[in-house]
Amino acid sequence: MSPRDRKAELARRLEENHQRHSSARQEIGFDAGRRHLMLPVDAIDPNPFQPRKVFDEDELRQLAGSIAELGQHQPVVVRPAGERWQLVAGERRWRACRLLGKPTIEALVQDADDARMAVTALAENMEREDLSDYEIGIAIRRIEDQFPSKAKLAEALGRTREDLYKYLAFEALPEDLRARLDAQPRLLSRAAAADVKRMLADERALPLLREAWTKLEAGEL
């Protein structure tokens, strides 16, 4: 399944989930999803479900240069969060506008529950195909409760169940190693994470793993 097809499938399932949640809630407020506003850049916070740990600075500068020259072609999408706003989609555009020192940014306000926030952020980043396996694994964990089974989740993501479990293997790593992955998310692939998970079945392997990890970070492996 191509990245475009994966995003379309995610969007379809997202909308089904959103409709289910909307029918179960009683909302008080404005007609969200139809407000096109100019919002203060510093009144917007990142999507709390953003799977991307690292944003390429060179790419952000290039995007900022494009916005400075040609303008913002597409609004970011936000949801209300008290007296502030949270990004649903468009974090790279928001970061680029911050880099330019722009006081305001064009935004579309939508009603979005946490499930919608998480799936939208994942779909947006998977389309770019430069998200690390570790970041995808974390994002999948955040949305897995929205699907009745691992099989349905794998189907929505356009992955096999075997591949899905490789992404989920990162959670089995010790907390200190996952913290180091936060800083270098591309250090370990999903296949390697699955191998490490199997190795950790033997408690004696942990000291060897930490030693090997240090060498991996140093580029010695």
Side-chain angles (χ1 to χ4, degrees):
M1 182 180 290
S2 70
R4 186 178 298 277
D5 290 340
R6 272 205 308 272
K7 184 177 181 182
E9 177 66 12
L10 276 169
R12 183 182 68 79
R13 291 179 177 275
L14 168 63
E15 186 58 32
E16 290 176 355
N17 177 77
H18 178 60
Q19 293 298 329
R20 185 169 63 252
H21 278 264
S22 294
S23 63
R25 297 196 315 265
Q26 289 186 345
E27 294 281 330
I28 299 176
F30 53 83
D31 184 12
R34 298 184 182 276
R35 299 186 70 190
H36 204 165
L37 305 174
M38 294 298 294
L39 296 177
V41 171
D42 60 6
I44 299 174
D45 298 314
N47 186 328
F49 302 99
Q50 170 61 251
R52 189 177 298 278
K53 296 295 181 181
V54 178
F55 287 82
D56 187 280
E57 291 297 326
D58 289 337
E59 287 189 2
L60 284 178
R61 282 192 288 270
Q62 290 176 11
L63 179 58
S66 175
I67 291 174
E69 182 178 356
L70 303 173
Q72 183 186 339
H73 289 296
Q74 186 177 6
V76 298
V77 181
V78 300
R79 74 173 180 179
E83 296 182 356
R84 296 181 61 79
W85 309 88
Q86 283 182 341
L87 282 168
V88 177
E91 184 158 342
R92 291 178 70 253
R93 275 163 278 153
W94 172 69
R95 286 176 177 265
C97 287
R98 288 179 65 192
L99 195 61
L100 290 170
K102 283 185 169 293
T104 59
I105 189 170
E106 185 181 358
L108 180 66
V109 178
Q110 288 189 351
D111 177 27
D113 58 19
D114 287 351
R116 186 181 183 87
M117 295 276 283
V119 178
T120 299
L122 180 55
E124 181 182 37
N125 281 286
M126 286 180 72
E127 185 185 29
R128 288 177 51 79
E129 295 189 294
D130 63 348
L131 200 63
S132 71
D133 288 351
Y134 174 64
E135 292 167 312
I136 292 175
I138 292 175
I140 289 173
R141 280 295 186 193
R142 287 174 169 170
I143 67 172
E144 64 177 328
D145 290 344
Q146 307 303 320
F147 295 85
S149 68
K150 293 290 193 298
K152 292 294 185 182
L153 174 57
E155 180 184 348
L157 294 172
R159 311 280 175 168
T160 65
R161 275 192 294 178
E162 179 182 8
D163 205 29
L164 176 69
Y165 281 112
K166 289 179 181 178
Y167 283 114
L168 299 179
F170 286 102
E171 192 170 272
L173 300 181
E175 185 175 351
D176 62 311
L177 297 185
R178 281 187 278 122
R180 288 155 81 171
L181 276 175
D182 286 340
Q184 299 184 65
R186 294 190 176 279
L187 198 61
L188 204 67
S189 70
R190 61 186 183 277
D195 289 340
V196 170
K197 179 181 179 180
R198 285 191 291 270
M199 186 177 72
L200 287 174
D202 183 349
E203 294 182 358
R204 296 172 297 178
L206 188 54
L208 294 175
L209 173 61
R210 288 199 168 99
E211 180 181 349
W213 199 284
T214 299
K215 291 182 178 180
L216 182 64
E217 289 176 321
E220 298 175 7
L221 285 178

